[in-house]
Amino acid sequence: MSQLPILGAAMTLKDVELNRDWLLEKPRDLELQDFVPAEVLCGDWQPLVERARQLLDGHQGRLGMHGPFMGLNVASADPDVRAVVARRMEQALDIAAALDITQIVIHSPYSTWMHNNLDNWPDQRQRVFEMTHQTLDAAVKRAEDQGCVFVLENIEDKDPAERRRLVESFNSPAFALSIDTGHAHYAHGSTGAAPVDYFAHDAGNLLQHVHLQDADGYADRHWPLGHGNINWRAFFARLAGITSNPRLIIEIRDKSQIQASAAYLANLGLAQ
């Protein structure tokens, strides 16, 4: 990155109303969070789409959405569960097509338990790959056709290389990596994973999305930036060597602190 990156944020449409001036002042990327619940995906989401179009009139950044994840495992061993997950991805792509959304965030299948047991059964590593492909192959192909990209976010991932290899196995421009800084910091503090900046180093130019949240290494805090102890200078130094232009999305619980979080990184000279 030759100049300071422009920060975006993850918000519901209600939050967009509160932060609209900030969102429109620069080409800030936006990740909509309204389309995660199954009851929304299976219901009449057209009014939400119309409201989004109204609120985002004049928005010049890239538009993404958080995809469905609640109770869903893309590498489930149960074919019925995989069928439900695949259906949810198709529903997310329907919404993406309606709003010209170009990125959908989904969750990694790797847990701490799985990490410690990948070599406890024959071919378990390959089995994770096979189940994920059975779940996502059709959705990834459709995403390619409509100009959308799924980005796989770390959750409990201890070894970022496992998730990277999974993404590489798709060999698709519609499947890339995401890093959640708070999740990575949790894994570092609680399970012995490498520091957050190592996740960026491993991802390299497969990285197309980042959730920026602060934490203490104990839990998934989603604190405003500067309220935890993540080494932001080290993380952004790693990002500086990445040329894939990942979306830098502030994802915190207290949406009233989005602009303060952006100002914190701006004061450090890391972003704008």
Side-chain angles (χ1 to χ4, degrees):
M1 300 178 188
S2 58
Q3 59 181 3
L4 291 181
I6 297 174
L7 299 166
M11 296 183 256
T12 65
L13 293 174
K14 180 180 178 181
D15 304 318
V16 170
E17 293 181 20
L18 299 175
N19 292 283
R20 190 171 183 273
D21 290 344
W22 174 81
L23 185 66
L24 298 185
E25 72 180 8
K26 297 179 188 292
R28 299 190 184 278
D29 297 330
L30 173 64
E31 179 186 315
L32 291 174
Q33 297 181 310
D34 300 86
F35 302 103
V36 171
E39 57 265 31
V40 173
L41 294 170
C42 295
D44 180 11
W45 41 259
Q46 194 60 45
L48 287 174
V49 166
E50 293 301 325
R51 182 61 179 148
R53 287 180 180 144
Q54 294 170 4
L55 284 173
L56 297 179
D57 183 30
H59 178 240
Q60 299 180 48
R62 296 170 291 184
L63 184 60
M65 63 182 281
H66 202 305
F69 68 91
M70 297 177 183
L72 306 178
N73 179 1
V74 298
S76 175
D78 189 323
D80 290 342
V81 174
R82 292 199 303 274
V84 171
V85 180
R87 181 184 174 210
R88 295 287 178 261
M89 298 304 161
E90 290 290 333
Q91 291 169 322
L93 284 166
D94 289 342
I95 293 167
L99 273 173
D100 294 324
I101 283 170
T102 55
Q103 193 175 80
I104 301 174
V105 182
I106 60 175
H107 281 190
S108 169
Y110 292 102
S111 65
T112 302
W113 183 91
M114 183 186 290
H115 173 84
N116 291 337
N117 285 280
L118 279 172
D119 296 316
N120 201 25
W121 292 281
D123 304 319
Q124 183 65 14
R125 292 176 187 271
Q126 185 60 31
R127 181 78 169 155
V128 174
F129 280 32
E130 290 172 358
M131 296 300 96
T132 304
H133 276 271
Q134 289 182 27
T135 305
L136 295 179
D137 273 348
V140 170
K141 178 59 173 66
R142 178 182 166 187
E144 285 184 19
D145 294 340
Q146 71 182 57
C148 192
V149 178
F150 285 103
V151 287
L152 192 64
E153 173 188 2
N154 57 304
I155 305 301
E156 295 181 41
D157 303 63
K158 184 174 181 179
D159 180 3
E162 288 292 344
R163 187 168 44 97
R164 170 177 51 77
R165 285 190 284 264
L166 176 58
V167 168
E168 288 172 336
S169 73
F170 279 78
N171 191 29
S172 170
F175 204 42
L177 284 170
S178 166
I179 293 172
D180 185 298
T181 58
H183 297 168
H185 196 48
Y186 155 78
H188 173 58
S190 296
T191 68
V196 178
D197 58 294
Y198 278 68
F199 279 70
H201 176 69
D202 184 82
N205 285 331
L206 278 176
L207 184 65
Q208 293 194 24
H209 174 274
V210 177
H211 273 155
L212 297 166
Q213 56 137 321
D214 218 334
D216 57 0
Y218 179 76
D220 186 19
R221 301 296 197 178
H222 287 270
W223 281 336
L225 309 188
H227 287 218
N229 54 17
I230 288 177
N231 187 335
W232 293 111
R233 293 187 186 278
F235 182 69
F236 274 81
R238 293 288 193 184
L239 291 182
I242 292 174
T243 60
S244 53
N245 193 22
R247 305 182 193 194
L248 304 181
I249 302 295
I250 297 169
E251 191 199 35
I252 57 177
R253 288 202 176 98
D254 185 353
K255 306 302 186 185
S256 71
Q257 295 299 305
I258 286 175
Q259 295 179 49
S261 291
Y264 174 78
L265 290 182
N267 290 335
L268 291 178
L270 300 177
Q272 56 180 311

